[in-house]
């Protein structure tokens, strides 16, 4: 399955919306899309995963790399609305504690004075 990405600026964040599956074939596309958002829009990224139906370990590796790059750019990465299959792989690997995860866009913590958001 393909992965569709779109990016827009919302409340001092680059909102990257992903729809589809994040796997070996599409994980690099996700990484490239979020990297472009950090570079061209804002270092604070909200990654909307409500449309992601599947994620494998390759996708997790990309999320970790994106978080690291965001930290290096004095930015942040917040995962928004992951579906149960994505929540399950995050929990099974213990990475649910490594990321800021919120249920919806309304739950996003504020970005204050360009600092990383606080959960």
């Amino acid at each position: 399955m393909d992965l569709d990405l779109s990016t827009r600026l919302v409340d001092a964040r680059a909102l990257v919306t992903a729809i589809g599956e994040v796997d070996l074939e599409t994980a690099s596309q996700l990484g490239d899309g979020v990297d472009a958002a950090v570079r061209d829009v804002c270092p604070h990224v909200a990654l909307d995963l409500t449309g992601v139906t599947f994620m494998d370990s390759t996708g997790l590796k990309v999320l970790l790399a994106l978080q690291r790059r965001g930290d290096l750019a004095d930015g942040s990465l917040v995962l928004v609305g992951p579906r149960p299959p994505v929540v399950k792989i995050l929990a099974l690997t213990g990475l649910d504690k490594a990321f800021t995860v919120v249920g919806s866009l309304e739950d996003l913590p504020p970005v204050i004075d360009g600092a990383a958001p606080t959960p």
Side-chain angles (χ1 to χ4, degrees):
M1 181 175 201
D2 291 331
L3 181 68
D4 294 320
L5 297 174
S6 62
T7 303
R8 62 189 170 104
L9 183 63
V10 174
D11 296 330
R13 279 193 180 78
L15 173 62
V16 179
T17 302
I19 299 173
E21 296 182 355
V22 181
D23 56 21
L24 183 61
E25 292 183 22
T26 62
S28 63
Q29 183 182 350
L30 177 65
D32 292 344
V34 174
D35 281 342
V38 169
R39 182 183 61 247
D40 300 336
V41 180
C42 180
H44 297 286
V45 175
L47 179 56
D48 183 352
L49 298 174
T50 57
V52 173
T53 57
F54 173 80
M55 181 178 292
D56 67 8
S57 60
T58 311
L60 294 178
K61 182 178 175 182
V62 167
L63 290 180
L64 288 168
L66 291 171
Q67 183 175 22
R68 176 74 176 136
R69 288 194 292 267
D71 289 346
L72 292 172
D74 292 326
S76 60
L77 176 67
V78 178
L79 307 181
V80 180
R83 288 183 169 187
V86 177
V87 170
K88 183 176 181 179
I89 193 169
L90 288 168
L92 286 172
T93 58
L95 293 176
D96 55 335
K97 294 168 184 56
F99 295 103
T100 301
V101 181
V102 297
S104 69
L105 292 175
E106 292 78 27
D107 299 327
L108 282 171
V111 175
I112 302 170
D113 297 327
T118 55

